[in-house]
Amino acid sequence: NLPWEHVGDLAATSVSVAFIAFLESFAVAKTIAEKEHYEVDARQELLALGLCNIVGSFFRCMPVAGGFGRSAVNYQSGAKSTLASMLTAGTVLMVVLFLTPLFEPLPKAVLGAIIVAAVSTLVDIQEMKHLWKTDRRDLFLLACAFGCTMFVGLLEGILIAAAMSMVLVLQKAVVPHGAVLGQIEDDPPIYRNIDRFPEAKQIDGVLIYRLDAPLFFANADLWRDRMHQLLQEYPKTVSVVLHGGAVAHMDSTGAHAVEGFIKECKRHEREAIFAEFNGPCR
């Protein structure tokens, strides 16, 4: 019987074990699923792990999870169904009951070599090359997660990688991408980023700016500063067109920033025009 006063002491450890168990199980499942071209439902995986651990808790079982090394060995051996797991469990049971003395002198390095050889087949070098060409921030996260897991620990690696991912997400939200648009075709009129399309021509007296992120409290001030900077760069601007096709959400702080910008345009006898904003933002 577990005294209630010890529940709090075990809570943090229990959450950590559950967190690692799910992340490890889903990570290896997703890796194998991508190689075999089928889908994995994270909710279904979490439900299965939860039910297994609930049932096992009544029999004092160890926490259940999908091991990365064991799954890699199983996959490399050509397993295709749950029958392989049943045969593996039966084999392990027979070895534990009758063959343990034969494996007792086996060096741990041999077992480690088997696991490393199996896990190495799941390392996707081509994906790393792809990330180097497309998004080096994701490659940096991958390298940090690998290094921390290898030299610090599994839990530390997961937590550090998750924290760094959150920092990058916040950085993208706080400093969103935006672009000044110019016209590249007349019929029909097509507008593109002037930095990426040098042939794009700006309309005299008209500044078209596209914000590629939600406008909310974290980036509203930066957006207004950016608009002020652009108006200083284009002092002959008469009309400012704000393209909101990529603005999926606008909170009250963002709305106040837009209202303040409209009032400022009126004071300087400029026209503020809004285009392509979706229903919730309007």
Side-chain angles (χ1 to χ4, degrees):
N1 296 327
L2 179 65
W4 282 104
E5 58 268 18
H6 292 166
V7 173
D9 298 334
L10 296 176
T13 304
S14 301
V15 172
S16 300
V17 171
F19 185 66
I20 293 175
F22 174 69
L23 285 183
E24 184 179 6
S25 300
F26 185 69
V28 66
K30 191 173 182 180
T31 301
I32 296 176
E34 290 177 354
K35 288 183 174 291
E36 294 296 322
H37 308 292
Y38 63 87
E39 297 295 328
V40 177
D41 188 348
R43 292 172 296 182
Q44 191 70 22
E45 293 292 322
L46 181 60
L47 178 62
L49 284 174
L51 289 176
C52 289
N53 282 288
I54 289 174
V55 174
S57 65
F58 290 100
F59 303 96
R60 297 185 178 183
C61 293
M62 296 290 291
V64 177
F68 202 95
R70 295 186 298 274
S71 299
V73 172
N74 203 34
Y75 173 69
Q76 191 183 37
S77 301
K80 298 295 183 181
S81 67
T82 55
L83 180 61
S85 299
M86 297 175 62
L87 293 175
T88 301
T91 303
V92 171
L93 179 62
M94 296 297 294
V95 170
V96 170
L97 292 178
F98 305 108
L99 303 177
T100 303
L102 298 178
F103 290 92
E104 184 178 0
L106 190 67
K108 292 184 178 180
V110 175
L111 301 177
I114 295 174
I115 295 175
V116 170
V119 171
S120 63
T121 61
L122 300 180
V123 178
D124 195 344
I125 302 298
Q126 295 301 321
E127 180 64 19
M128 296 181 187
K129 295 180 180 179
H130 175 71
L131 291 178
W132 174 261
K133 296 178 181 178
T134 58
D135 194 341
R136 295 185 182 181
R137 286 181 296 186
D138 282 350
L139 181 62
F140 174 72
L141 284 176
L142 187 152
C144 289
F146 177 81
C148 293
T149 303
M150 178 69 70
F151 299 107
V152 181
L154 179 60
L155 177 60
E156 292 80 0
I158 292 174
L159 294 179
I160 291 174
M164 295 182 65
S165 298
M166 292 299 299
V167 169
L168 289 180
V169 170
L170 291 176
Q171 187 268 337
K172 289 182 180 179
V174 174
V175 189
H177 179 266
V180 177
L181 304 183
Q183 189 172 1
I184 61 174
E185 292 187 14
D186 296 330
D187 189 19
I190 298 177
Y191 299 87
R192 292 292 184 267
N193 185 350
I194 61 173
D195 293 332
R196 297 182 58 194
F197 294 84
E199 69 275 14
K201 298 179 180 180
Q202 294 182 258
I203 303 173
D204 293 336
V206 178
L207 173 64
I208 306 175
Y209 182 77
R210 184 190 68 208
L211 178 65
D212 297 331
L215 185 60
F216 65 116
F217 69 93
N219 59 19
D221 290 338
L222 188 142
W223 171 79
R224 287 193 63 176
D225 293 341
R226 176 58 176 160
M227 297 307 301
H228 293 161
Q229 180 183 356
L230 288 174
L231 292 176
Q232 292 177 0
E233 295 177 6
Y234 302 96
K236 297 182 180 180
T237 299
V238 177
S239 299
V240 181
V241 179
L242 300 176
H243 189 290
V247 181
H249 169 70
M250 183 186 302
D251 68 357
S252 59
T253 305
H256 287 310
V258 171
E259 291 174 355
F261 180 72
I262 294 174
K263 293 178 181 179
E264 184 175 350
C265 286
K266 290 181 178 180
R267 286 197 303 268
H268 293 84
E269 297 182 351
R270 293 190 178 103
E271 183 182 15
I273 303 171
F274 297 87
E276 300 294 335
F277 279 83
N278 56 32
C281 291
R282 292 200 298 268

